[in-house]
């Protein structure tokens, strides 16, 4: 049970509205058990469920998960197909409950690279959960931050070429509005599991003033208690956004 931590969170007050997570350590979790890597990814799916439910309980509004990077396409074909099957399975299994829970799922990334079955699953979950009002769940799939920024630059350049935008109008807000994450505020809290101290090409623009929380726990071992610990840690931070305190 994690009710003790939840009670503390509620007492402290300010819950991060947007939590982003680099779910890392699935491979190591499997290797420690002498299992093939996809077993770690499968176990990682349970942790996704835990963290989604934890966000609903704590009152987080947006949860953005790094599920598959553009760089991950370079992994062995067997691991890629296992991950894609898992994505399809996750959607097939969870779509009804996500809808019941009021979770609206969005998939961020270069979806043209997904196989037709995975793309159909992604479109289905977005369509069927579109009315969710309690939590936005962003799944970053075939996502990399530099590719997202290059795409934003291309979109702005096209507008300049077709005459709908002046070069002088390209400011931070214009770039922000072309990112996949445009509808949502920047993450307040980034959690990375498995102890690595890197951003791995994830939300480089959006994380400018995000509080970082690194835990050694491997992703498949994560429960809502780990999420609550991270939120409690966040609640003790002083956020200055580059300014000084009054
Ligand atoms: C990183 O661990 C994790 C991934 C590349 C995949 C994340 C996928 C899931 C958690 C399961 C499916 C999720 C959804 C939303 C359906 P790693 O393989 O890089 O681990 P390692 O660093 O220990 O090798």
């Amino acid at each position: 049970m994690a009710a003790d931590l939840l009670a503390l969170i509620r007492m402290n007050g300010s819950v991060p509205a947007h939590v982003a997570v680099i779910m890392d350590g699935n491979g190591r979790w499997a290797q420690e058990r002498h299992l093939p890597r996809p077993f770690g990814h499968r176990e990682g799916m349970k942790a996704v469920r835990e963290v989604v439910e934890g966000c609903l309980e704590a009152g987080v509004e947006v949860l953005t998960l790094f599920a598959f990077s553009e760089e991950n396409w370079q992994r062995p074909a067997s691991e890629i197909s296992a991950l894609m099957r898992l994505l399809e399975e996750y959607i097939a299994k969870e779509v009804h409950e996500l809808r019941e829970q009021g979770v609206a799922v969005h998939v961020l990334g270069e979806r043209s690279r997904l196989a037709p079955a995975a793309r159909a699953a992604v479109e289905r979950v977005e369509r069927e959960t579109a009315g969710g009002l309690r939590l936005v769940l962003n799944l970053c799939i075939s996502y990399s931050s530099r590719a997202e920024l290059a795409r934003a630059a291309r979109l702005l350049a096209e507008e300049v070429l077709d005459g709908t935008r002046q070069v002088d109008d390209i400011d931070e807000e214009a770039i922000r509005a072309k990112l996949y994450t445009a509808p949502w505020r920047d993450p307040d809290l980034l959690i990375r599991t498995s102890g690595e101290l890197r951003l791995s090409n994830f939300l480089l623009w959006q994380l400018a003033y995000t509080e970082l929380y690194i835990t050694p726990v491997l992703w498949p071992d994560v429960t809502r208690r780990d999420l609550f610990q991270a939120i409690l840690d966040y609640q003790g931070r002083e956020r200055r956004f580059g300014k000084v305190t009054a």
Side-chain angles (χ1 to χ4, degrees):
M1 274 299 284
D4 50 339
L5 299 181
L6 198 55
L8 278 176
I9 288 173
R10 296 211 171 113
M11 225 164 64
N12 289 341
S14 67
V15 171
H18 185 171
V19 174
V21 186
I22 302 177
M23 310 185 286
D24 195 15
N26 294 353
R28 273 161 287 169
W29 185 95
Q31 272 157 10
E32 281 175 4
R33 288 158 181 80
H34 308 287
L35 294 167
R37 297 173 55 84
F39 281 78
H41 298 315
R42 171 165 291 282
E43 202 64 21
M45 211 160 68
K46 294 184 191 159
V48 170
R49 202 170 302 135
E50 272 285 316
V51 168
V52 166
E53 285 173 8
C55 283
L56 286 165
E57 289 172 8
V60 171
E61 293 164 24
V62 183
L63 172 65
T64 300
L65 300 179
F66 201 8
F68 190 85
S69 70
E70 288 257 20
E71 291 75 19
N72 288 155
W73 289 113
Q74 290 158 37
R75 291 194 176 193
S78 57
E79 185 173 343
I80 294 174
S81 59
L83 272 165
M84 291 297 145
R85 274 200 308 275
L86 217 52
L87 172 69
E88 292 164 34
E89 189 183 316
Y90 172 78
I91 291 171
K93 263 196 191 156
E94 302 286 322
V95 65
H96 296 294
E97 190 161 359
L98 289 166
R99 192 172 51 196
E100 293 293 300
Q101 290 168 322
V103 180
V105 180
H106 299 266
V107 173
L108 317 186
E110 190 40 81
R111 66 176 71 188
S112 64
R113 292 189 74 176
L114 297 178
R119 209 180 324 167
V122 156
E123 284 163 9
R124 175 184 171 210
V125 74
E126 286 184 329
R127 193 173 55 244
E128 294 190 12
T129 63
L133 291 175
R134 285 182 68 209
L135 176 71
V136 168
L137 171 58
N138 290 322
L139 299 177
C140 296
I141 294 171
S142 192
Y143 171 89
S144 97
S145 185
R146 288 181 174 178
E148 178 187 38
L149 287 164
R151 174 179 173 271
R154 269 195 315 276
L155 294 171
L156 291 169
E158 280 165 10
E159 291 182 0
V160 171
L161 280 178
D162 71 20
T164 54
R165 185 184 291 277
Q166 302 296 311
V167 168
D168 284 349
D169 294 339
I170 299 179
D171 54 10
E172 289 189 15
E173 175 49 31
I175 295 172
R176 196 202 63 79
K178 297 297 184 199
L179 302 177
Y180 294 121
T181 51
W184 307 286
R185 59 190 270 150
D186 288 340
D188 301 290
L189 171 65
L190 171 77
I191 300 171
R192 180 166 190 149
T193 61
S194 92
E196 307 288 354
L197 305 174
R198 303 189 272 281
L199 293 181
S200 300
N201 211 352
F202 185 49
L203 303 177
L204 300 179
W205 175 283
Q206 298 87 333
L207 295 176
Y209 287 104
T210 302
E211 297 295 324
L212 309 182
Y213 181 87
I214 316 286
T215 167
V217 178
L218 302 179
W219 178 255
D221 290 326
V222 163
T223 67
R224 68 194 77 192
R225 283 193 81 83
D226 298 294
L227 170 74
F228 294 162
Q229 292 285 7
I231 293 177
L232 283 168
D233 196 272
Y234 167 89
Q235 289 179 320
R237 310 273 180 100
E238 186 198 9
R239 300 189 75 190
R240 291 193 299 274
F241 299 93
K243 305 179 191 114
V244 290
T245 358

